[in-house]
Each structure stands twice: as structure tokens, then as C-alpha cells.
Amino acid sequence: MPQGVFSARAPSNIALIKYMGKKDGVMNLPENGSISMTLNSLCSVAEISLSGPANSIAFSDRVRWVSTRPQGFQELPLEVPVLDDRGVFKLVRHAEKVVKAAREIFPRFGLQCAEITSPDSREMLVFRTANTFPQASGIASSASSFAAITLATALSCARDQSLFERIWSQDSVFREQWARISRQGSGSSCRSLNGPWVMWEDERVQVLPSQMPPMAHFVLLVSDQQKKVSSSEAHARVKTSPLWENRPERVAQRLIQMKQALSEGDVRTVARIAWEESWEMHSLFHTCSEPFSYWEPGSMKVLQALDPWVNGTHRETPIVTPIVTMDAGPNVHVIVDATQRELWFDRLSPLGFKILSDRQGTGAIV
Ligand code: PMV
């Protein structure tokens, strides 16, 4: 990487217990805890190049996003997203938050801040971002993008990048500090910095101990349409559903059960809870005061085909239980024991949808 270029790569994650409903919309604090599996190749990259003096010291004048491919990551099949003004504004605001946070966090870990963090610096930060999945794939990029932007920006704030890298790879407390900052850009991004099984409750984000086998991940692409209701809007609307009552208490029980199941490698229980959660989240969408749905006919087709496997009524069960869940979109995610990847690919292919394949991952890297 040339001097003055800082980059990070962060994977997406898929929630098995869902973050839906915010207690605090500014800090992105959730109404309930969530658990996700971090992915590996479905990821975003962010690259920052330092370039010349800006016209003013105002942070918004010092940050630019350009829609060209990052120079690094030649090995990845990257696609540059289209960001509208709002998207760029969110990036700039988040980068500013990260720079301010670096001034507070770094000294606690023996790191010194680079010149760009000084309030009267004029150094320009030019951002390039890209995803390994096409924007039109219906895969949400906010978790992986904000995680990558957080990490690349934090790296650019360090005077000694090698020391930053070392602390990042060795100190989970340091990573958790950055998860808190990333969360303020996009809630679910705080689970993408680590992996594979991550729990987020209030301010805390932690990797869960697990005896699960290594897992493979598929997304059945039922539709490539952009979602009509944003997740921010969904977080607000779900609270008007009559099913919202007692959800935090229900989820608290599920968190205890899923933590236990992960620690014992009990795939069937993980799959059962993930299935219930997915149906419950979509039921909240379907029953709020302005009901909406992400489901497409294809979503239903896939869920119906997988139901007997998840619920143990298929004649071939109990050989394997797939973990099946949907995000805030029409696509269906299927997570299976990695030793059975091919078997499941062959089982899912006849459903007739394009399939993206991935596996569990360990989180963001610089
Ligand atoms: O991070 P947000 O605000 O885009 O919300 C994500 C919400 C879900 O993806 C639907 C669930 C989750 O926990 O990731």
C-alpha cells in the first residue's frame, strides 16, 4: 500500500436474533440484544488517501468521497456503489465522529494520533469504498460499509500504523471501543468488526464462545430490488404493532437459549430460534400501523421448501438442520455445516434462484 493510503475490509453479518427497534435513535441503542454470524467474502472495503491541503479546517471541507475503485484489493471482485448526497453526508459525519473518538481512545491504548486528527489540520481525506456484492443484489451494505469506514478512518488517525494493526488484532477491548463508534453510523455494523458469533446488547459487543462447526452461508437472491422501506423506517414502525408488546422480554429469553446452544454446538436449537425470530420480525412489519412487507412470492417459495428441514419433519432429518433467516429484504439466508456445503447447494439450486455463497468469518481487518 502506498504511503498515505489507509484501507480496511469488513464483512457483512447476518442476524439470527434481530436488532429491530431503537431505544435511542441518535446513538443507535437497541431495544433488545441481538446475535449474528459474521460473514467472510460478502464484504465492503474502504480506502482513504491523504491529499494536499483543503480550503478550510472545517471537517466537511476536508473529506471527499470519489466514485472510483479503491487502488488496493486487486484480488476482490469489487463494485463501487452509487452514493447520493445523503449517503456522502452520512459518510462524512461518521468519519468526523471516528476522528474525534481516536483522540479519546488512542491514548488509553498507548497510541499517538496523527496530524490529521488535529482540529486545525487542513489535510484532505479522500475516501473510496466498494463492495464485493453488487448494489443490485438486494444485500444490505450498511453494516459492512460502516464497519470498513470506521476501521480505515481509525487507522488513518494513528501515527504508527503497525502498532494500530497489532493492537487491533490482539486486543478485544480496543475492537469493542470501535464497535461502539461504528454502531453510531449503522447499528448492525458493530457486529461486523468481530466474528464469527457476535452478541450486541446496549453498548456491549462481544464474541460468543461456541462449539458450533464451521458454517457455510448461502443467500438465495429472490429479488434485486432496492428496499422500499428503509431499515431506519422499519425500526420506528415496528413499535406500533400489537405484537411489539413484550418483545424485549421474549428476546431476552431467546438470547439466553441461543448463547447456550452456541456454546454447546447445538445447531438444531440455534436454527429453531433463528426461524422464530425471522418470522417474528417480519410479522412485526406485517402488523404495524402502516403495514409493509419485504416478502416476494419467491421468498415464500423458499421458506416453504425449507420448513420441513428446519422443523424436523423432512424424511431425511435429523441428518442436518439448516439455519434459515431473512433480513429486512426478500432474500433468504441459509447457514449450514460447512462439511455439507455441496449437498445443500445442490438442494437449494432447483428452487431456481441465483445463490451467493459465503462462509463464517472473523471480522474486519486492516
Ligand atoms: O443496522 P440497521 O439500522 O440497518 O438495522 C439492521 C436491522 C436488521 O438487519 C433487519 C436486523 C439485524 O439485526 O441486523
Side-chain angles (χ1 to χ4, degrees):
M1 197 53 52
Q3 276 232 313
V5 179
F6 309 94
S7 56
R9 165 183 172 165
S12 187
N13 71 73
I14 177 70
L16 305 183
I17 294 187
K18 308 291 187 184
Y19 154 51
M20 191 34 69
K22 301 184 190 191
K23 197 150 61 184
D24 178 331
V26 179
M27 296 301 279
N28 283 342
L29 286 172
E31 284 282 0
N32 57 261
S34 55
I35 293 180
S36 58
M37 190 185 87
T38 303
L39 301 180
N40 183 59
S41 333
L42 294 175
C43 67
S44 300
V45 300
E47 192 174 88
I48 301 166
S49 321
L50 298 186
S51 85
N55 294 334
S56 85
I57 57 167
F59 197 80
S60 51
D61 292 334
R62 291 178 48 212
V63 176
R64 211 152 50 89
W65 174 80
V66 288
S67 64
T68 52
R69 199 187 194 283
Q71 297 156 42
F73 306 102
Q74 292 303 323
E75 73 288 3
L76 296 179
L78 292 177
E79 188 164 297
V80 178
V82 178
L83 284 194
D84 57 14
D85 289 349
R86 209 177 112 75
V88 176
F89 172 76
K90 280 174 82 176
L91 183 154
V92 174
R93 197 180 50 181
H94 188 65
E96 183 167 20
K97 215 169 261 178
V98 174
V99 171
K100 283 193 180 137
R103 295 202 286 260
E104 278 174 37
I105 295 173
F106 281 3
R108 285 190 254 142
F109 293 85
L111 275 163
Q112 288 187 329
C113 285
E115 171 55 27
I116 61 154
T117 63
S118 150
D120 45 40
S121 167
R122 279 180 185 260
E123 192 88 62
M124 283 289 297
L125 282 76
V126 179
F127 277 80
R128 290 181 175 80
T129 56
N131 305 315
T132 56
F133 44 90
Q135 194 154 22
S137 70
I139 307 287
S141 66
S142 74
S144 51
S145 312
F146 274 94
I149 291 165
T150 303
L151 183 51
T153 312
L155 176 70
S156 75
C157 292
R159 187 165 286 179
D160 181 343
Q161 269 78 46
S162 324
L163 183 59
F164 180 100
E165 261 185 79
R166 200 156 64 240
I167 300 174
W168 178 262
S169 62
Q170 290 171 3
D171 192 334
S172 59
V173 180
F174 186 61
R175 283 201 298 277
E176 186 169 356
Q177 298 294 316
W178 291 109
R180 288 179 187 198
I181 305 301
S182 199
R183 186 199 75 218
Q184 295 168 38
S186 149
S188 53
S189 75
C190 72
R191 297 185 312 234
S192 277
L193 297 175
N194 261 317
W197 305 100
V198 180
M199 179 160 84
W200 165 31
E201 283 182 299
D202 289 313
E203 295 266 356
R204 279 233 73 185
V205 185
Q206 52 181 314
V207 177
L208 294 174
S210 146
Q211 289 202 45
M212 293 284 280
M215 301 302 264
H217 166 262
F218 302 111
V219 199
L220 283 89
L221 291 180
V222 163
S223 163
D224 58 6
Q225 295 301 302
Q226 294 274 19
K227 41 185 179 195
K228 287 178 220 85
V229 178
S230 70
S231 55
S232 316
E233 180 65 27
H235 282 294
R237 283 203 216 170
V238 286
K239 294 193 186 177
T240 64
S241 161
L243 304 180
W244 177 256
E245 209 184 331
N246 301 331
R247 175 158 164 80
E249 291 78 7
R250 270 197 306 282
V251 175
Q253 283 307 312
R254 289 182 185 141
L255 288 169
I256 294 169
Q257 290 166 7
M258 190 173 282
K259 257 170 79 175
Q260 175 81 14
L262 289 169
S263 74
E264 292 169 356
D266 176 357
V267 179
R268 196 173 308 167
T269 301
V270 173
R272 179 183 54 76
I273 300 170
W275 181 255
E276 280 172 18
E277 265 292 305
S278 180
W279 281 87
E280 183 165 314
M281 180 177 77
H282 285 269
S283 301
L284 287 167
F285 301 152
H286 298 168
T287 55
C288 59
S289 63
E290 234 185 291
F292 62 99
S293 184
Y294 293 113
W295 287 4
E296 299 281 335
S299 318
M300 217 44 226
K301 179 180 170 186
V302 177
L303 291 178
Q304 278 175 350
L306 290 168
D307 180 298
W309 291 101
V310 180
N311 291 306
T313 53
H314 195 280
R315 65 190 151 74
E316 287 178 46
T317 30
I319 303 169
V320 263
T321 311
I323 301 169
V324 179
T325 187
M326 290 174 70
D327 214 26
N331 303 318
V332 183
H333 296 249
V334 183
I335 299 168
V336 296
D337 186 322
T339 58
Q340 304 195 326
R341 167 191 288 281
E342 283 74 28
L343 181 80
W344 274 99
F345 188 82
D346 293 346
R347 231 171 233 160
L348 297 171
S349 297
L351 291 168
F353 299 103
K354 185 170 177 215
I355 299 177
L356 299 183
S357 300
D358 201 358
R359 61 181 166 87
Q360 69 179 47
T362 50
I365 49 170
V366 291

